[in-house]
Coordinates of all heavy atoms in Angstrom, one line a residue:
M1 N 10.4 18.7 -9.5 CA 9.5 17.6 -9.6 C 8.1 18.1 -9.7 O 7.7 19.0 -8.9 CB 9.7 16.6 -8.4 CG 8.8 15.4 -8.4 SD 9.0 14.3 -7.0 CE 10.6 13.7 -7.3
R2 N 7.3 17.5 -10.5 CA 5.9 17.9 -10.7 C 5.0 17.2 -9.6 O 5.5 16.2 -9.0 CB 5.4 17.5 -12.1 CG 6.1 18.3 -13.2 CD 5.4 18.0 -14.5 NE 6.1 18.7 -15.6 CZ 5.8 20.0 -15.9 NH1 4.9 20.6 -15.3 NH2 6.4 20.6 -16.9
A3 N 3.8 17.6 -9.5 CA 2.9 17.0 -8.5 C 2.7 15.5 -8.7 O 2.5 14.7 -7.7 CB 1.6 17.7 -8.5
D4 N 2.8 15.0 -10.0 CA 2.6 13.6 -10.2 C 3.9 12.8 -10.1 O 3.9 11.6 -10.4 CB 2.0 13.4 -11.6 CG 3.0 13.9 -12.7 OD1 4.1 14.3 -12.4 OD2 2.6 13.8 -13.9
G5 N 5.0 13.4 -9.6 CA 6.2 12.7 -9.4 C 7.2 12.7 -10.6 O 8.3 12.3 -10.5
E6 N 6.7 13.2 -11.7 CA 7.6 13.3 -12.9 C 8.6 14.4 -12.8 O 8.3 15.4 -12.1 CB 6.7 13.5 -14.2 CG 5.8 12.3 -14.5 CD 6.6 11.1 -14.9 OE1 7.6 11.2 -15.7 OE2 6.3 10.0 -14.5
A7 N 9.6 14.3 -13.5 CA 10.7 15.4 -13.6 C 10.1 16.6 -14.2 O 9.3 16.6 -15.1 CB 11.9 14.9 -14.4
F8 N 10.5 17.8 -13.6 CA 10.0 19.0 -14.1 C 10.5 19.3 -15.5 O 9.9 19.9 -16.3 CB 10.4 20.1 -13.1 CG 9.8 21.5 -13.4 CD1 8.5 21.7 -13.5 CD2 10.7 22.6 -13.6 CE1 7.9 23.0 -13.8 CE2 10.2 23.8 -13.9 CZ 8.8 24.0 -14.0
G9 N 11.8 18.9 -15.7 CA 12.4 19.0 -17.0 C 13.0 20.4 -17.4 O 13.5 20.5 -18.5
I10 N 13.0 21.3 -16.5 CA 13.6 22.6 -16.8 C 14.5 22.9 -15.6 O 14.2 22.8 -14.5 CB 12.5 23.7 -16.8 CG1 11.5 23.4 -18.0 CG2 13.1 25.1 -17.0 CD1 10.3 24.3 -18.0
M11 N 15.7 23.3 -16.0 CA 16.8 23.7 -15.0 C 17.3 25.0 -15.3 O 17.7 25.3 -16.5 CB 17.9 22.6 -15.1 CG 18.5 22.4 -13.8 SD 19.7 21.0 -13.8 CE 18.7 19.6 -13.7
D12 N 17.3 25.9 -14.3 CA 17.9 27.2 -14.5 C 19.4 27.2 -14.1 O 19.9 26.2 -13.6 CB 17.1 28.3 -13.8 CG 17.1 28.1 -12.3 OD1 17.9 27.4 -11.7 OD2 16.2 28.7 -11.6
D13 N 20.1 28.3 -14.2 CA 21.5 28.4 -13.9 C 21.7 28.1 -12.4 O 22.7 27.5 -12.1 CB 22.1 29.7 -14.3 CG 22.2 29.9 -15.8 OD1 22.2 28.9 -16.5 OD2 22.4 31.1 -16.2
Q14 N 20.8 28.6 -11.6 CA 21.0 28.4 -10.1 C 21.0 26.9 -9.8 O 21.8 26.5 -8.9 CB 19.9 29.1 -9.4 CG 19.9 30.6 -9.5 CD 20.5 31.2 -8.2 OE1 20.6 30.6 -7.2 NE2 20.9 32.5 -8.4
I15 N 20.1 26.2 -10.4 CA 20.1 24.7 -10.2 C 21.2 24.0 -10.9 O 21.9 23.2 -10.3 CB 18.7 24.1 -10.6 CG1 17.6 24.8 -9.9 CG2 18.7 22.6 -10.4 CD1 17.6 24.6 -8.4
E16 N 21.4 24.3 -12.1 CA 22.4 23.6 -12.9 C 23.8 23.8 -12.3 O 24.6 22.9 -12.3 CB 22.4 24.2 -14.4 CG 23.3 23.5 -15.3 CD 22.9 22.1 -15.7 OE1 21.7 21.9 -15.7 OE2 23.7 21.2 -15.9
N17 N 24.1 25.0 -11.8 CA 25.4 25.3 -11.3 C 25.5 25.4 -9.8 O 26.3 26.0 -9.2 CB 25.9 26.6 -11.9 CG 26.0 26.5 -13.4 OD1 26.6 25.5 -14.0 ND2 25.4 27.4 -14.1
G18 N 24.5 24.8 -9.2 CA 24.4 24.8 -7.7 C 25.4 24.0 -7.0 O 26.3 23.4 -7.6
M19 N 25.2 23.9 -5.7 CA 26.1 23.1 -4.8 C 26.1 21.7 -5.2 O 25.1 21.1 -5.5 CB 25.6 23.3 -3.4 CG 26.5 22.6 -2.4 SD 25.8 22.6 -0.7 CE 26.1 24.3 -0.3
D20 N 27.3 21.1 -5.2 CA 27.5 19.7 -5.5 C 26.8 18.9 -4.5 O 26.8 19.2 -3.3 CB 29.0 19.4 -5.4 CG 29.4 18.0 -5.6 OD1 29.2 17.5 -6.7 OD2 29.7 17.4 -4.6
A21 N 26.1 17.9 -4.9 CA 25.3 17.0 -4.0 C 26.1 16.4 -2.9 O 25.6 16.3 -1.8 CB 24.6 16.0 -4.8
D22 N 27.3 16.0 -3.2 CA 28.2 15.4 -2.1 C 28.5 16.4 -1.1 O 28.5 16.1 0.1 CB 29.5 14.8 -2.7 CG 29.2 13.5 -3.5 OD1 28.2 12.8 -3.2 OD2 30.0 13.3 -4.5
R23 N 28.8 17.6 -1.5 CA 29.2 18.7 -0.5 C 28.0 19.0 0.3 O 28.1 19.2 1.5 CB 29.7 19.9 -1.3 CG 30.0 21.0 -0.3 CD 30.8 22.2 -1.0 NE 30.7 23.3 -0.1 CZ 30.3 24.5 -0.4 NH1 30.0 24.7 -1.7 NH2 30.3 25.5 0.4
C24 N 26.8 19.1 -0.3 CA 25.6 19.4 0.4 C 25.3 18.3 1.4 O 25.0 18.6 2.6 CB 24.4 19.4 -0.6 SG 22.8 19.7 0.2
A25 N 25.5 17.0 1.1 CA 25.3 15.9 2.0 C 26.2 16.0 3.2 O 25.9 15.8 4.3 CB 25.4 14.6 1.2
Q26 N 27.5 16.3 2.9 CA 28.5 16.5 3.9 C 28.1 17.5 4.9 O 28.2 17.4 6.2 CB 29.9 16.8 3.4 CG 30.5 15.6 2.6 CD 31.7 15.9 1.9 OE1 32.1 17.1 1.8 NE2 32.4 14.9 1.3
E27 N 27.6 18.7 4.4 CA 27.2 19.7 5.3 C 26.0 19.3 6.2 O 25.9 19.6 7.4 CB 26.8 21.0 4.5 CG 28.0 21.7 4.0 CD 27.7 23.1 3.5 OE1 26.8 23.8 4.0 OE2 28.4 23.5 2.5
V28 N 25.0 18.7 5.6 CA 23.8 18.2 6.3 C 24.2 17.2 7.4 O 23.8 17.3 8.5 CB 22.8 17.6 5.3 CG1 21.7 17.0 6.1 CG2 22.2 18.8 4.4
V29 N 25.0 16.2 7.0 CA 25.4 15.2 8.0 C 26.2 15.8 9.1 O 26.0 15.5 10.3 CB 26.2 14.1 7.3 CG1 26.9 13.2 8.3 CG2 25.3 13.3 6.4
A30 N 27.1 16.7 8.8 CA 27.9 17.4 9.9 C 27.0 18.1 10.8 O 27.2 18.1 12.1 CB 28.9 18.3 9.3
K31 N 26.0 18.8 10.3 CA 25.1 19.6 11.2 C 24.1 18.6 11.9 O 23.8 19.0 13.1 CB 24.3 20.6 10.3 CG 25.2 21.7 9.8 CD 24.6 22.6 8.8 CE 25.6 23.6 8.3 NZ 25.1 24.6 7.4
L32 N 23.8 17.5 11.3 CA 23.0 16.5 12.1 C 23.8 16.0 13.2 O 23.3 15.8 14.4 CB 22.5 15.4 11.2 CG 21.4 15.7 10.2 CD1 21.3 14.5 9.2 CD2 20.1 15.9 10.9
R33 N 25.0 15.7 13.0 CA 25.9 15.1 14.1 C 26.1 16.1 15.2 O 26.2 15.8 16.4 CB 27.2 14.7 13.5 CG 27.2 13.4 12.7 CD 28.5 13.0 12.2 NE 28.4 11.7 11.6 CZ 29.1 11.3 10.5 NH1 30.0 12.2 10.0 NH2 28.9 10.1 10.0
A34 N 26.1 17.4 14.8 CA 26.2 18.5 15.8 C 24.9 18.8 16.5 O 24.8 19.7 17.3 CB 26.8 19.7 15.1
K35 N 23.9 18.0 16.1 CA 22.5 18.2 16.7 C 21.9 19.6 16.4 O 21.2 20.1 17.3 CB 22.5 17.8 18.2 CG 22.9 16.4 18.4 CD 22.6 15.9 19.8 CE 23.1 14.6 20.2 NZ 23.0 13.5 19.3
Q36 N 22.3 20.1 15.3 CA 21.8 21.4 14.9 C 20.3 21.2 14.5 O 20.0 20.3 13.8 CB 22.5 22.0 13.7 CG 22.2 23.4 13.4 CD 23.2 24.0 12.4 OE1 24.4 23.7 12.5 NE2 22.7 24.8 11.5
R37 N 19.4 22.0 15.1 CA 18.0 21.8 14.9 C 17.5 22.3 13.5 O 16.6 21.7 13.0 CB 17.2 22.6 16.0 CG 17.5 22.0 17.3 CD 16.8 22.7 18.4 NE 15.4 22.1 18.4 CZ 14.4 22.6 19.2 NH1 14.6 23.6 20.0 NH2 13.3 22.0 19.2
E38 N 18.1 23.3 13.0 CA 17.7 23.8 11.6 C 19.0 23.7 10.8 O 20.1 24.0 11.3 CB 17.2 25.2 11.7 CG 16.8 25.7 10.3 CD 16.2 27.1 10.3 OE1 16.8 28.0 10.9 OE2 15.2 27.3 9.6
I39 N 18.8 23.2 9.6 CA 20.0 23.0 8.8 C 19.9 23.8 7.5 O 19.5 23.2 6.4 CB 20.2 21.5 8.5 CG1 20.4 20.7 9.8 CG2 21.5 21.3 7.6 CD1 20.5 19.2 9.7
P40 N 20.2 25.1 7.5 CA 20.2 25.8 6.3 C 21.4 25.5 5.4 O 22.5 25.5 5.9 CB 20.2 27.3 6.8 CG 20.9 27.2 8.1 CD 20.6 25.9 8.7
V41 N 21.2 25.2 4.2 CA 22.3 24.9 3.3 C 22.1 25.7 2.0 O 21.0 25.6 1.4 CB 22.3 23.4 2.9 CG1 23.5 23.1 2.0 CG2 22.5 22.6 4.2
G42 N 23.0 26.5 1.6 CA 22.9 27.2 0.4 C 24.2 28.0 0.2 O 25.0 28.3 1.1
E43 N 24.5 28.4 -1.1 CA 25.7 29.1 -1.4 C 25.4 30.5 -1.8 O 26.2 31.4 -1.6 CB 26.4 28.4 -2.6 CG 26.9 27.0 -2.3 CD 27.7 26.4 -3.4 OE1 27.2 26.4 -4.6 OE2 28.7 25.9 -3.2
S44 N 24.3 30.8 -2.3 CA 24.0 32.2 -2.8 C 23.4 33.0 -1.8 O 22.7 32.6 -0.9 CB 23.2 32.1 -4.1 OG 21.8 31.9 -3.8
A45 N 23.6 34.3 -1.9 CA 23.0 35.3 -1.0 C 21.5 35.2 -1.2 O 20.8 35.4 -0.2 CB 23.6 36.7 -1.3
M46 N 21.0 35.0 -2.4 CA 19.6 34.9 -2.6 C 18.9 33.8 -1.8 O 17.9 34.0 -1.1 CB 19.3 34.7 -4.1 CG 17.8 34.7 -4.4 SD 17.3 34.3 -6.1 CE 17.5 32.6 -6.0
E47 N 19.5 32.6 -1.9 CA 19.0 31.5 -1.1 C 18.9 31.8 0.4 O 17.9 31.5 1.0 CB 19.9 30.2 -1.3 CG 19.8 29.7 -2.7 CD 20.9 28.6 -3.0 OE1 22.0 28.6 -2.3 OE2 20.7 27.8 -3.8
M48 N 20.0 32.2 0.9 CA 20.0 32.5 2.3 C 19.2 33.7 2.7 O 18.6 33.7 3.8 CB 21.5 32.6 2.8 CG 22.4 31.4 2.5 SD 21.6 29.8 2.8 CE 21.9 29.7 4.6
G49 N 19.0 34.6 1.8 CA 18.2 35.8 2.0 C 16.7 35.3 2.1 O 15.9 35.9 2.9
L50 N 16.3 34.4 1.2 CA 14.9 33.9 1.3 C 14.7 33.2 2.6 O 13.6 33.3 3.2 CB 14.7 32.9 0.1 CG 14.6 33.6 -1.2 CD1 14.5 32.5 -2.3 CD2 13.5 34.6 -1.4
L51 N 15.7 32.5 3.2 CA 15.5 31.9 4.5 C 15.3 33.0 5.5 O 14.4 32.8 6.4 CB 16.7 31.0 4.8 CG 16.7 30.4 6.2 CD1 15.5 29.4 6.3 CD2 18.0 29.6 6.4
E52 N 16.0 34.0 5.5 CA 15.9 35.1 6.4 C 14.5 35.8 6.3 O 13.9 36.1 7.3 CB 17.0 36.2 6.3 CG 17.0 37.3 7.3 CD 17.0 36.8 8.7 OE1 17.7 35.8 9.0 OE2 16.3 37.3 9.6
L53 N 14.0 35.9 5.0 CA 12.7 36.5 4.8 C 11.6 35.6 5.4 O 10.7 36.1 6.0 CB 12.5 36.8 3.3 CG 11.1 37.4 2.9 CD1 11.0 38.7 3.6 CD2 11.0 37.5 1.4
K54 N 11.8 34.3 5.3 CA 10.9 33.3 5.8 C 10.8 33.5 7.3 O 9.7 33.4 7.9 CB 11.3 31.9 5.5 CG 10.3 30.9 6.1 CD 10.8 29.5 5.9 CE 11.2 29.0 7.3 NZ 11.8 27.7 7.3
R55 N 11.9 33.8 8.0 CA 11.9 34.0 9.4 C 11.3 35.4 9.8 O 10.5 35.4 10.8 CB 13.3 34.0 10.0 CG 13.9 32.6 9.9 CD 15.3 32.6 10.3 NE 15.9 31.3 10.3 CZ 17.2 31.1 10.0 NH1 18.0 32.1 9.8 NH2 17.7 29.9 10.0
S56 N 11.6 36.4 9.1 CA 11.2 37.7 9.5 C 9.8 38.1 9.0 O 9.1 38.9 9.7 CB 12.3 38.8 9.0 OG 12.3 38.8 7.6
D57 N 9.5 37.7 7.8 CA 8.2 38.0 7.2 C 7.7 36.9 6.3 O 7.7 37.1 5.1 CB 8.3 39.4 6.5 CG 7.0 40.0 6.1 OD1 5.9 39.3 6.3 OD2 7.0 41.1 5.6
P58 N 7.2 35.8 6.9 CA 6.8 34.7 6.1 C 5.7 35.0 5.1 O 5.7 34.5 4.0 CB 6.3 33.6 7.1 CG 6.2 34.3 8.4 CD 7.0 35.6 8.3
E59 N 4.8 35.9 5.4 CA 3.7 36.2 4.5 C 4.3 36.9 3.3 O 3.8 36.6 2.1 CB 2.7 37.1 5.2 CG 1.8 36.4 6.2 CD 1.1 35.2 5.6 OE1 0.5 35.3 4.5 OE2 1.0 34.1 6.3
A60 N 5.3 37.7 3.4 CA 5.9 38.4 2.3 C 6.6 37.3 1.4 O 6.5 37.4 0.1 CB 6.9 39.4 2.7
L61 N 7.2 36.4 2.0 CA 7.9 35.3 1.2 C 6.8 34.5 0.4 O 7.0 34.3 -0.8 CB 8.6 34.3 2.1 CG 9.2 33.1 1.4 CD1 10.3 33.5 0.4 CD2 9.7 32.1 2.4
F62 N 5.7 34.1 1.1 CA 4.7 33.4 0.4 C 4.1 34.2 -0.7 O 3.8 33.6 -1.8 CB 3.6 32.9 1.4 CG 4.2 31.9 2.4 CD1 3.8 32.0 3.7 CD2 5.1 31.0 2.1 CE1 4.3 31.2 4.7 CE2 5.7 30.1 3.1 CZ 5.2 30.2 4.4
D63 N 3.9 35.5 -0.5 CA 3.3 36.3 -1.6 C 4.3 36.4 -2.8 O 3.9 36.3 -3.9 CB 3.0 37.7 -1.0 CG 1.9 37.8 -0.1 OD1 1.1 36.8 -0.1 OD2 1.7 38.8 0.6
M64 N 5.6 36.5 -2.4 CA 6.6 36.6 -3.5 C 6.6 35.3 -4.3 O 6.6 35.3 -5.5 CB 8.0 36.9 -2.9 CG 9.1 37.0 -3.9 SD 10.6 37.4 -3.2 CE 11.1 35.8 -2.6
L65 N 6.6 34.2 -3.6 CA 6.6 32.9 -4.3 C 5.4 32.7 -5.2 O 5.4 32.1 -6.3 CB 6.8 31.7 -3.3 CG 8.1 31.7 -2.6 CD1 8.2 30.6 -1.5 CD2 9.3 31.5 -3.6
E66 N 4.2 33.1 -4.6 CA 3.0 33.0 -5.4 C 3.1 33.8 -6.7 O 2.7 33.4 -7.8 CB 1.8 33.5 -4.5 CG 0.5 33.4 -5.2 CD -0.7 33.8 -4.3 OE1 -0.5 34.7 -3.5 OE2 -1.7 33.2 -4.4
G67 N 3.7 35.0 -6.6 CA 3.9 35.9 -7.8 C 4.8 35.2 -8.8 O 4.6 35.3 -10.0
M68 N 5.9 34.6 -8.3 CA 6.9 34.0 -9.2 C 6.2 32.8 -9.9 O 6.4 32.6 -11.1 CB 8.1 33.5 -8.4 CG 8.9 34.6 -7.8 SD 10.1 34.1 -6.6 CE 11.2 33.1 -7.6
T69 N 5.4 32.0 -9.2 CA 4.7 30.9 -9.8 C 3.7 31.4 -10.8 O 3.6 30.8 -11.9 CB 3.9 30.1 -8.7 OG1 4.9 29.6 -7.7 CG2 3.2 28.9 -9.3
A70 N 3.0 32.5 -10.5 CA 2.0 33.0 -11.5 C 2.8 33.4 -12.8 O 2.3 33.2 -13.9 CB 1.3 34.2 -10.9
N71 N 4.0 34.0 -12.6 CA 4.8 34.5 -13.7 C 5.2 33.3 -14.6 O 5.2 33.3 -15.8 CB 6.0 35.3 -13.2 CG 6.8 35.9 -14.4 OD1 6.3 36.2 -15.4 ND2 8.1 35.9 -14.2
L72 N 5.6 32.2 -13.9 CA 6.0 31.0 -14.7 C 4.9 30.4 -15.4 O 5.0 30.0 -16.6 CB 6.6 30.0 -13.7 CG 8.0 30.3 -13.1 CD1 8.4 29.3 -12.0 CD2 9.1 30.3 -14.2
R73 N 3.7 30.4 -14.8 CA 2.5 29.8 -15.5 C 2.2 30.7 -16.7 O 1.8 30.2 -17.7 CB 1.4 29.8 -14.5 CG 1.5 28.6 -13.5 CD 0.3 28.4 -12.7 NE 0.4 27.3 -11.8 CZ 0.0 27.2 -10.6 NH1 -0.7 28.2 -10.1 NH2 0.2 26.1 -9.9
A74 N 2.3 32.0 -16.6 CA 2.0 32.9 -17.7 C 2.9 32.7 -18.8 O 2.5 32.9 -20.0 CB 2.0 34.4 -17.2
Q75 N 4.1 32.3 -18.5 CA 5.1 32.0 -19.6 C 5.0 30.6 -20.1 O 5.7 30.2 -21.0 CB 6.5 32.1 -19.0 CG 6.9 33.5 -18.6 CD 8.3 33.6 -18.0 OE1 9.2 32.9 -18.4 NE2 8.4 34.4 -16.9
G76 N 4.1 29.8 -19.6 CA 3.9 28.4 -20.0 C 4.9 27.5 -19.5 O 5.0 26.4 -20.0
V77 N 5.6 27.9 -18.5 CA 6.7 27.0 -18.0 C 6.1 26.0 -17.0 O 6.6 24.9 -16.9 CB 7.8 27.9 -17.3 CG1 8.8 27.0 -16.6 CG2 8.4 28.8 -18.3
Y78 N 5.1 26.4 -16.3 CA 4.6 25.5 -15.2 C 3.1 25.5 -15.3 O 2.4 26.5 -15.4 CB 5.1 26.0 -13.9 CG 4.6 25.2 -12.7 CD1 5.1 24.0 -12.5 CD2 3.6 25.7 -11.8 CE1 4.7 23.2 -11.4 CE2 3.2 25.0 -10.7 CZ 3.7 23.7 -10.5 OH 3.3 23.0 -9.4

């Protein structure tokens, strides 16, 4: 989603072939019922690895995301 609320309009393989929304909702609800304070949901090692990086070195994660955003802008994607 863009800042103005419009659809971004570009979907990569990770998003297109990601977790089914119903399965995701089931996992979230189950963890809410279990009163789990943090609810990490993801299927790929990359997704869960980014969560671990956020915990261990948040500045490195933010720097990496900033670089990825700059790369997308340079490609005219964003």
Side-chain angles (χ1 to χ4, degrees):
M1 179 179 294
R2 295 185 181 277
D4 63 4
E6 291 296 316
F8 186 60
I10 297 173
M11 213 175 281
D12 62 18
D13 287 341
Q14 293 261 344
I15 300 296
E16 185 72 31
N17 300 311
M19 181 183 288
D20 176 71
D22 289 332
R23 180 168 164 233
C24 179
Q26 289 172 355
E27 286 193 32
V28 170
V29 168
K31 291 173 183 180
L32 285 169
R33 286 185 175 140
K35 299 191 184 323
Q36 189 169 325
R37 295 181 83 185
E38 181 178 45
I39 303 176
V41 178
E43 292 183 316
S44 78
M46 182 187 80
E47 291 168 335
M48 301 316 280
L50 291 173
L51 178 60
E52 184 56 39
L53 181 59
K54 183 187 109 184
R55 291 177 180 148
S56 65
D57 191 352
E59 290 301 317
L61 174 66
F62 298 140
D63 290 343
M64 182 178 77
L65 293 174
E66 183 178 33
M68 291 168 68
T69 301
N71 185 35
L72 289 172
R73 284 188 178 142
Q75 295 176 37
V77 174
Y78 180 73

